[in-house]
């Protein structure tokens, strides 16, 4: 049976090539994902591990739990603790570490690196072992800084240059006194690191006299564990925690692996979709191969082969096909992994150098996926072939699906589809977090149900195309009949395309609807002309607000300032605003009372009010972060949204209780409204600061739209693999169908159908099948997009369904193009058949 299976594989090389290609693409996607993520993760881990070479034990502050009405906070690491750490017997040195955000502008005035990777820190003394100097000297005072060597290369800055930078708003112009090297992972990933002397760094980052961490290096011969034990005895119990350099490296490696796991899982989901689509092709291919070898298999049964041996021979063929596809897919996947790393680098993201990592797990996964998927898909056709009676098969009496089997299939399909629709509809009535799992289950049930029902649906939907097909004469009529001749085959071919278009359509509908709702939210709740914020999302110093108030043309400014407090023994977060200006800068529907903020009057969003049982006129007592209490009155309850919600009170009331206030954003209104001139005026007032974003409502919408567009384009690119596999399926089905109908095509040619007519027939058949899959996919995608929108709408009052008709039409046209392109080779092959040899074909 093995020799027979091997002979059959070699005899059908051309027909199995497309199956190998489909499996290979899926395996390549999986292995390429694993190679890419493992390579990047390994390089980042090795790079980050170097950063702990100068630390044997790190001391950090412990969190102090809330006491009574005082909010929780971290203990402080003081200079005395640094001295105590340096004084333990096993310590060679101790360094107080200060860290924070620092935005450095290049010579073009733009921010260097991504906002979240632009970091600052302190240089310890005159010779910090963490940052070896390659040029210059240590910084002294607020007007001197050091920059890392990678940033110096990218920007062209040298020792002695004056640079523009910012920490929390105002522009600074220090001089570069030195350049250093570092193994910092953010710098390796394209960020920047700017260093000040310790006192300046503490003042800049709002940590006067304290440190974020104490890095302790052990003496020669002293182990990390011994040093850690000494430090724990020397430092105040309960105020600090210690971790060894090895523990820090392990934690960093775990964090990198965790951050990469999301990317890996996302890519593997799309690889799984491509493989799932590929199973239809494999099942179709083996179904047709088995049908074409019905007599051969029957003869084997007649001379003594058992049903199990027949099934086993088909599975052996599938094993050989899967093994070949796995080998080629693995090699291709290694190339894809290398290509993805190069692509990420060409897009501007800096990745650490390192070799390609091909683990035994990647190799095993490639072979397991390729072989198992192929064998599972081929098992049902092999089992079906083994059940055909030998006499019926040798007499060419092909077993047609019985009425009972069709009724059972359609009943099961209807039950699955009905259950799926019901579960999805129930999920739309749930809360956003509670409804996700039921909606996912309902989507799976519905897709399974539609797939089972596809043979039944193919007849009426393809019949709807009959009026158009009649325009093509005999070729159109034959194409329609061929499309519905074998509904199961047509269904499997169309379903492969249906799945890809379902996901693409659903994502498009959700993204378009979200964008519209965000635009509506911004336009309805913001009356300010501009929103000013830091590029990295951190807070702005109150000085920025004062600078804007003094700028020409500015009529109103209000901060949105966050602060922690305690209400009824629970931690709550307040939003400080300018009570006199906020009413003219925002517009919220008021459910109760009036939107009045000032003195002891506050406003609360409706969700917070409902949760705490507050109404207009309710009184409450707030304990601020300094421990002082104050009685406040709810003046009104407003309808919050995703952008603005919470407890709003006047900054004049809040500020006296804050030791280091900062504003998350500023709302600004100008006398002439939003315009390029007004934006330029605000930028000049802030010193053309590279770290500050000045955005009008359209800019906010465009920023969010850019994010959605990027995500959507990534999804399109990843799902293109599934569509490509579906195209291969259409080609494979048509090519094998042409071979199966060689005698029929020969007869058609003999009675007068010319070559052009044969080509047209095959192309139209392919077009009809592809459009059938496209219609199902778009229909399901719109339904899932609507259902997902219902969940989102529960949290976004401005959400409304938007159907992008232009894109939906484009997707349908894409399905048609897929059908036309997929038919090129099979149609040409059918037209070139020799009619006399075809007629003699059995």
């Amino acid at each position: 049976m093995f020799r027979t299976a091997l002979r059959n594989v070699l005899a059908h090389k051309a027909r199995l090539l497309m199956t190998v290609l489909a499996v290979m693409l899926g395996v390549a996607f999986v292995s390429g994902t694993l190679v890419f993520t493992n390579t990047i993760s390994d390089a980042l881990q090795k790079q980050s591990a170097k950063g702990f070479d100068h630390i044997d034990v790190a001391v950090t502050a412990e969190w102090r739990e809330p006491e009574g009405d005082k909010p929780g906070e971290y203990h402080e690491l003081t200079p005395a603790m640094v001295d105590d750490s340096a004084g333990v017997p096993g310590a060679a040195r101790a360094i107080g570490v200060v860290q924070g955000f620092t935005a450095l502008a290049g010579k073009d005035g733009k921010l260097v690196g991504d906002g979240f990777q632009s970091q600052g820190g302190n240089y310890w003394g005159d010779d910090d072992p963490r940052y070896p100097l390659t040029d210059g000297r240590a910084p002294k005072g607020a007007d001197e800084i050091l920059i890392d060597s990678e940033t110096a290369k990218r920007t062209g800055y040298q020792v002695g240059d004056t640079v523009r930078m910012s920490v929390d708003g105002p522009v600074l112009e220090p001089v570069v006194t030195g350049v250093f090297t570092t193994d910092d992972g953010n710098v390796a990933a394209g960020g920047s690191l700017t260093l000040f002397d310790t006192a300046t760094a503490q003042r800049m980052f709002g940590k006067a006299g304290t440190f974020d961490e104490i890095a302790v290096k052990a003496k020669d011969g002293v182990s990390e564990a011994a040093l850690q034990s000494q430090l724990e005895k020397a430092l105040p119990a309960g105020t600090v925690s210690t971790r060894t350099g090895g523990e820090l490296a392990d934690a960093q490696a775990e964090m990198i692996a965790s951050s990469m796991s999301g990317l890996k899982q996302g890519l593997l989901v799309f690889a799984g979709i491509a493989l799932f689509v590929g199973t239809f092709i494999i099942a179709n291919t083996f179904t047709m191969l088995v049908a074409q070898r019905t007599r051969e298999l029957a003869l084997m049964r007649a001379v003594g082969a058992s049903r199990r041996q027949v099934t086993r021979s088909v599975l052996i063929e599938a094993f050989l096909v899967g093994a070949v596809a796995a080998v080629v897919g693995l090699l291709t996947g290694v190339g894809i992994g290398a290509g993805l790393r190069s692509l990420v680098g060409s897009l501007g993201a800096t990745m650490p150098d390192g070799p390609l990592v091909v683990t035994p797990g990647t190799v095993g996964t490639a072979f397991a996926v390729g072989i198992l998927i192929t064998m599972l898909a081929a098992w049902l056709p092999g089992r079906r072939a083994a059940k055909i009676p030998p006499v019926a098969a040798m007499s060419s009496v092909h077993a047609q699906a019985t009425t009972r089997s069709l009724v059972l299939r359609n009943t099961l399909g209807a039950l699955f589809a009905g259950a799926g629709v019901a579960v999805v509809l129930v999920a739309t009535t749930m809360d956003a977090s509670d409804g996700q799992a039921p909606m996912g289950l309902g989507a799976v049930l519905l897709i399974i149900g539609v797939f089972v029902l596809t043979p039944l649906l193919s007849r009426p939907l393809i019949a709807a195309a009959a009026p158009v097909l009649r325009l093509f004469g005999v070729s159109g009529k034959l194409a329609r009949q061929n499309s519905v001749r074998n509904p199961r085959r047509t269904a499997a071919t169309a379903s492969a395309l249906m799945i890809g278009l379902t996901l693409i359509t659903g994502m498009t509908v959700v993204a378009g609807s979200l964008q519209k709702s965000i635009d509506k939210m911004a336009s309805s709740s913001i009356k300010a002309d501009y929103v000013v914020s830091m590029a990295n999302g951190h807070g702005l110093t109150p000085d920025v607000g004062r600078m804007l108030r003094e700028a020409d043309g500015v009529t109103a400014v209000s901060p949105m300032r966050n602060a922690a407090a305690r209400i009824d023994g629970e931690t709550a977060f307040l939003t400080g605003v300018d009570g006199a200006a906020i009413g003219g800068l925002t517009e919220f529907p008021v459910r109760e009372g009036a939107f009045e903020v000032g003195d002891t009057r506050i406003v609360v969003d409706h969700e917070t009010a409902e949760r705490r049982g507050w109404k207009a006129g309710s009184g409450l007592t707030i304990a601020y972060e300094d421990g002082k209490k104050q009685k406040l009155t709810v003046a009104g309850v407003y309808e919050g949204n995703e952008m603005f919600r919470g407890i709003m009170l006047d900054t004049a009331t809040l500020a006296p209780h804050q030791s280091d206030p900062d504003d998350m954003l500023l709302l600004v209104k100008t006398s002439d409204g939003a315009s390029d001139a007004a934006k330029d005026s605000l930028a000049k007032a802030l010193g053309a600061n590279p770290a500050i974003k000045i955005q009008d409502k359209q800019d906010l919408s465009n920023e969010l739209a850019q994010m959605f567009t990027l995500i959507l384009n990534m999804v399109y690119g990843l799902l293109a693999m599934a569509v490509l596999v579906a195209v291969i399926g259409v080609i494979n089905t048509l090519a094998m169908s042409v071979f199966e109908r060689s005698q029929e095509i020969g007869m058609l040619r003999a009675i007068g159908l010319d070559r052009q007519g044969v080509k047209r027939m095959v192309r139209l058949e392919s077009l009809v099948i592809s459009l059938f899959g496209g219609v199902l996919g778009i229909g399901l995608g719109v339904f899932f997009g609507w259902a997902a929108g219902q969940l989102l709408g529960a949290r976004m009052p401005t959400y409304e369904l938007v159907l992008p008709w232009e894109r939906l039409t484009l997707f349908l046209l894409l399905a048609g193009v897929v059908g036309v392109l997929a038919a090129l080779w099979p149609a040409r092959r059918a037209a070139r058949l020799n009619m006399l040899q075809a007629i003699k074909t059995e």
Side-chain angles (χ1 to χ4, degrees), residues 316-363:
I316 291 172
E317 289 181 53
F319 173 84
L320 296 173
V321 171
V324 172
V327 172
V328 178
L330 176 61
L331 296 176
T332 306
V334 173
I336 289 175
L340 284 173
R341 186 173 66 171
S342 299
L343 177 63
V344 169
S346 67
L347 293 176
T350 305
M351 290 294 175
D353 293 329
L356 281 177
V357 177
V358 184
T359 64
T362 300
V363 176

Side-chain angles (χ1 to χ4, degrees), residues 532-670:
V532 179
S533 61
M534 289 291 282
N536 68 334
H538 287 199
L540 293 156
T541 176
D543 291 339
V544 176
R546 286 192 285 270
M547 293 166 66
L548 286 172
R549 288 185 182 91
E550 295 171 1
D552 294 337
V554 173
T555 58
V557 176
S558 175
M560 302 293 286
R561 179 178 300 176
N562 290 347
R566 300 280 288 177
I567 301 175
D568 297 331
E570 297 179 2
T571 299
F573 292 94
L574 313 175
T575 301
V577 298
D578 186 318
I582 191 66
L585 296 170
T586 59
E587 185 173 13
F588 302 104
V590 178
R591 295 195 174 188
E592 291 183 48
F595 195 89
E596 295 179 359
V597 180
D599 195 18
T600 59
R601 298 187 306 279
I602 64 173
V603 292
V604 185
D605 73 283
H606 65 285
E607 291 185 355
T608 302
E610 289 174 5
R611 187 173 67 253
R612 293 187 175 272
W614 294 339
K615 296 181 179 180
S618 296
L620 61 141
T621 300
I622 285 184
Y624 296 104
E625 63 182 46
D626 62 356
K628 294 182 179 179
K629 298 181 180 181
Q630 186 175 27
K631 290 186 177 180
L632 302 175
T633 302
V634 178
V637 176
Y638 68 94
E639 190 172 295
N641 55 43
E642 291 297 309
M643 297 179 69
F644 301 101
R645 62 177 59 193
I647 303 170
M648 293 187 189
L649 76 164
D650 202 323
T651 50
T653 304
L654 176 63
H657 305 285
Q658 291 186 288
S659 58
D660 186 25
D662 59 17
D663 302 325
M664 293 310 297
L665 56 87
L666 294 165
L667 301 175
V668 181
K669 196 166 187 63
T670 59

Side-chain angles (χ1 to χ4, degrees), residues 468-792:
V468 178
L469 293 175
R470 288 197 193 101
L471 299 176
F472 296 93
V474 174
S475 296
K477 184 177 181 181
L478 291 171
R480 184 183 65 81
Q481 292 175 346
N482 291 334
S483 301
V484 296
R485 175 185 297 180
N486 192 329
R488 289 186 177 183
R489 183 188 304 168
T490 298
T493 306
S495 295
L497 189 59
M498 175 192 78
I499 292 171
L501 283 177
T502 295
L503 296 170
I504 290 174
T505 303
M507 290 293 295
T508 302
V509 170
V510 171
S513 301
L514 275 175
Q515 182 57 51
K516 181 66 179 291
S517 67
I518 289 169
D519 289 345
K520 189 175 179 181
M521 184 188 301
S523 62
S524 63
S525 60
I526 300 177
K527 292 167 65 177
D529 296 317
Y530 294 101
V531 175
V532 179
S533 61
M534 289 291 282
N536 68 334
H538 287 199
L540 293 156
T541 176
D543 291 339
V544 176
R546 286 192 285 270
M547 293 166 66
L548 286 172
R549 288 185 182 91
E550 295 171 1
D552 294 337
V554 173
T555 58
V557 176
S558 175
M560 302 293 286
R561 179 178 300 176
N562 290 347
R566 300 280 288 177
I567 301 175
D568 297 331
E570 297 179 2
T571 299
F573 292 94
L574 313 175
T575 301
V577 298
D578 186 318
I582 191 66
L585 296 170
T586 59
E587 185 173 13
F588 302 104
V590 178
R591 295 195 174 188
E592 291 183 48
F595 195 89
E596 295 179 359
V597 180
D599 195 18
T600 59
R601 298 187 306 279
I602 64 173
V603 292
V604 185
D605 73 283
H606 65 285
E607 291 185 355
T608 302
E610 289 174 5
R611 187 173 67 253
R612 293 187 175 272
W614 294 339
K615 296 181 179 180
S618 296
L620 61 141
T621 300
I622 285 184
Y624 296 104
E625 63 182 46
D626 62 356
K628 294 182 179 179
K629 298 181 180 181
Q630 186 175 27
K631 290 186 177 180
L632 302 175
T633 302
V634 178
V637 176
Y638 68 94
E639 190 172 295
N641 55 43
E642 291 297 309
M643 297 179 69
F644 301 101
R645 62 177 59 193
I647 303 170
M648 293 187 189
L649 76 164
D650 202 323
T651 50
T653 304
L654 176 63
H657 305 285
Q658 291 186 288
S659 58
D660 186 25
D662 59 17
D663 302 325
M664 293 310 297
L665 56 87
L666 294 165
L667 301 175
V668 181
K669 196 166 187 63
T670 59
S671 56
D672 297 328
S675 66
D676 292 340
K679 183 183 286 189
D680 290 341
S681 176
L682 293 179
K684 289 179 182 178
L686 295 174
N689 193 323
I692 294 181
K693 294 191 298 184
I694 302 173
Q695 299 173 295
D696 59 22
K697 285 185 279 190
Q698 189 58 50
D699 292 332
L700 287 171
S701 297
N702 291 342
E703 184 177 62
L704 293 168
Q706 186 177 10
M707 179 183 68
F708 286 127
T709 301
L710 177 63
I711 294 173
L712 203 57
N713 287 339
M714 288 177 61
V715 171
Y716 285 165
L718 294 169
L719 288 176
M721 179 70 73
V723 175
L724 179 59
V725 174
V727 172
I728 293 172
V730 177
I731 296 173
N732 206 24
T733 299
L734 289 173
M736 298 188 73
S737 179
V738 166
F739 178 84
E740 189 179 79
R741 300 191 334 245
S742 295
Q743 188 178 54
E744 175 188 320
I745 293 171
M747 289 294 296
L748 290 172
R749 289 288 315 285
I751 61 175
L753 188 65
D754 60 11
R755 288 186 174 182
Q756 284 300 114
V758 172
K759 285 183 179 180
R760 192 180 301 118
M761 175 186 72
V762 176
R763 288 172 186 162
L764 289 173
E765 179 182 349
S766 175
L767 180 63
V768 167
I769 292 174
S770 298
L771 288 176
F772 170 53
V775 168
L776 288 180
I778 292 172
L780 283 174
V782 169
F783 176 71
F784 290 141
W786 167 83
Q790 294 300 301
L791 282 183
L792 293 171

Side-chain angles (χ1 to χ4, degrees), residues 59-375:
V59 180
T60 55
E62 282 282 4
W63 175 256
R64 178 187 291 146
E65 293 296 330
E67 297 178 4
D69 292 324
K70 190 172 183 179
E73 60 182 358
Y74 281 99
H75 289 277
E76 293 182 342
L77 297 179
T78 63
M81 291 181 179
V82 177
D83 294 339
D84 291 342
S85 299
V88 300
R93 65 172 180 269
I95 294 175
V97 179
V98 185
Q99 298 171 328
F101 168 71
T102 301
L104 180 69
K107 291 184 176 180
D108 58 359
K110 296 181 180 178
L111 182 66
V112 176
D114 183 79
F116 294 94
Q117 295 173 326
S118 302
Q119 300 297 318
N122 68 310
Y123 190 82
W124 188 257
D126 294 324
D127 184 18
D128 193 330
R130 299 173 299 164
Y131 307 114
L133 290 174
T134 59
D135 191 15
R137 60 170 176 80
K140 302 290 184 183
D143 296 329
E144 296 183 351
I145 62 166
L146 302 180
I147 60 173
D148 67 88
S149 56
E150 291 298 321
T151 298
K153 289 178 186 177
R154 288 197 296 269
T155 60
Y157 285 136
Q158 298 177 351
V159 173
D161 287 346
T162 298
V163 300
R164 293 170 57 78
M165 55 165 289
S166 175
V167 172
D168 56 2
V171 174
L172 307 173
E173 294 187 343
V175 175
V176 177
T177 63
V179 177
F180 63 92
T181 59
T182 178
D183 294 316
D184 186 279
N186 282 322
V187 173
S192 65
L193 180 60
T194 306
L195 300 180
F196 308 87
D197 67 67
T198 299
T200 301
Q202 288 175 323
R203 187 176 68 256
M204 290 281 189
F205 303 137
K207 299 163 185 174
T210 64
F211 300 94
D212 294 303
E213 183 181 281
I214 302 173
V216 188
K217 183 69 177 175
K219 292 179 179 178
D220 292 339
V222 178
S223 68
E224 291 182 344
L227 178 61
Q228 183 181 30
S229 177
Q230 293 174 8
L231 288 169
E232 289 176 347
K233 292 177 182 177
L235 297 174
T239 61
V240 299
S241 61
T242 60
R243 287 196 294 177
T244 65
E247 291 172 341
L248 289 171
D250 291 342
Q252 184 80 352
E254 185 177 345
M255 184 181 71
I256 291 171
S258 176
S259 64
M260 293 299 295
S261 68
L263 174 63
K264 182 187 294 185
Q265 290 173 5
L267 291 173
L268 288 176
V269 165
F270 290 101
I273 292 169
L275 284 167
F276 183 58
V277 171
T279 58
F280 295 115
I281 300 169
I282 301 165
N284 241 4
T285 301
F286 278 94
T287 297
M288 296 173 74
L289 283 174
V290 166
Q292 292 166 14
R293 290 163 42 207
T294 300
R295 287 190 179 185
E296 175 189 331
L297 295 174
L299 183 60
M300 291 172 62
R301 289 287 313 283
V303 296
S306 65
R307 287 185 176 182
R308 184 173 297 176
Q309 285 178 308
V310 171
T311 303
R312 193 181 302 149
S313 71
V314 176
L315 291 178
I316 291 172
E317 289 181 53
F319 173 84
L320 296 173
V321 171
V324 172
V327 172
V328 178
L330 176 61
L331 296 176
T332 306
V334 173
I336 289 175
L340 284 173
R341 186 173 66 171
S342 299
L343 177 63
V344 169
S346 67
L347 293 176
T350 305
M351 290 294 175
D353 293 329
L356 281 177
V357 177
V358 184
T359 64
T362 300
V363 176
T365 300
F367 276 92
V369 167
I371 293 172
L372 287 178
I373 291 292
T374 309
M375 292 183 69

